[in-house]
Amino acid sequence: MRSILVSTGNFISSIFDFFYPPFGKYLKMNIRLYRYAMSGSVNVVFGWVLFYTIYNFVLAHRTLDLGFIMISSHQAPFVITSPITFLTGFLLQKYVTFTESDLRGKVQFVRYLLVFGVNACINSLGIEILVNYGFYPTPSNMIMTIICIIFSYISQH
């Protein structure tokens, strides 16, 4: 399984690297930062598309009734997409961005989980506030994602 993940990571890296020259030359961005930005951007857009699809087509704006708990129509897509984007984001960071890291996978996983958990709380609370003030759920998710990206960037530096 690890060899498949490494091979896939190398393939994705080669696609990202194909588009690197303009960024490296004009933005003075090193390859690691570029891969970090590309991995994050791909995962964010993937999350937005997933959120939109689940909200509009799978749940069709309905509350999700799990029998023991009901999740509002604007929180349910976030709850459903979070584990998926967590996994894809972690795999992209591990096998595309930080391939030369000496940290064990478990340590990387726990660190990523902690940052993701804080961002998930901020995102969920923000979506709730924005929707209650009249914003649509998908743009609310996008706004909160951007706020979380800024928060993560600032907190990591």
Side-chain angles (χ1 to χ4, degrees):
M1 179 66 163
R2 180 165 161 57
S3 64
I4 293 171
L5 292 172
V6 170
S7 297
T8 304
N10 289 337
F11 176 72
I12 293 169
S13 292
S14 67
I15 293 170
F16 287 175
D17 293 354
F18 177 79
F19 296 100
Y20 174 69
F23 293 96
K25 182 178 181 182
Y26 297 110
L27 298 178
K28 307 294 187 218
M29 187 181 290
N30 68 42
I31 191 75
R32 182 188 225 179
L33 178 59
Y34 169 76
R35 286 181 182 169
Y36 178 80
M38 286 297 291
S39 295
S41 298
V42 165
N43 202 47
V44 164
V45 171
F46 171 65
W48 287 346
V49 169
L50 207 53
F51 184 97
Y52 177 84
T53 303
I54 290 170
Y55 178 73
N56 288 295
F57 301 110
V58 176
L59 296 174
H61 306 230
R62 292 186 310 261
T63 300
L64 179 62
D65 185 358
L66 299 176
F68 61 94
I69 190 170
M70 292 184 67
I71 305 172
S72 66
S73 62
H74 57 276
Q75 289 291 344
F78 178 74
V79 170
I80 294 168
T81 61
S82 289
I84 298 166
T85 57
F86 169 79
L87 182 61
T88 56
F90 174 72
L91 293 173
L92 284 168
Q93 294 305 316
K94 180 164 178 50
Y95 293 103
V96 175
T97 304
F98 301 112
T99 56
E100 69 283 342
S101 176
D102 294 331
L103 292 175
R104 297 185 66 212
K106 289 179 184 178
V107 174
Q108 289 176 317
F109 184 82
V110 169
R111 285 184 179 180
Y112 193 85
L113 180 62
L114 289 173
V115 172
F116 187 88
V118 170
N119 282 331
C121 291
I122 293 168
N123 201 335
S124 179
L125 180 63
I127 289 171
E128 191 65 33
I129 291 168
L130 290 173
V131 168
N132 287 337
Y133 277 101
F135 285 85
Y136 289 106
T138 300
S140 297
N141 180 49
M142 295 171 134
I143 291 167
M144 290 314 303
T145 300
I146 292 167
I147 289 170
C148 286
I149 289 168
I150 294 167
F151 170 76
S152 291
Y153 183 80
I154 291 169
S155 67
Q156 290 179 15
H157 282 83

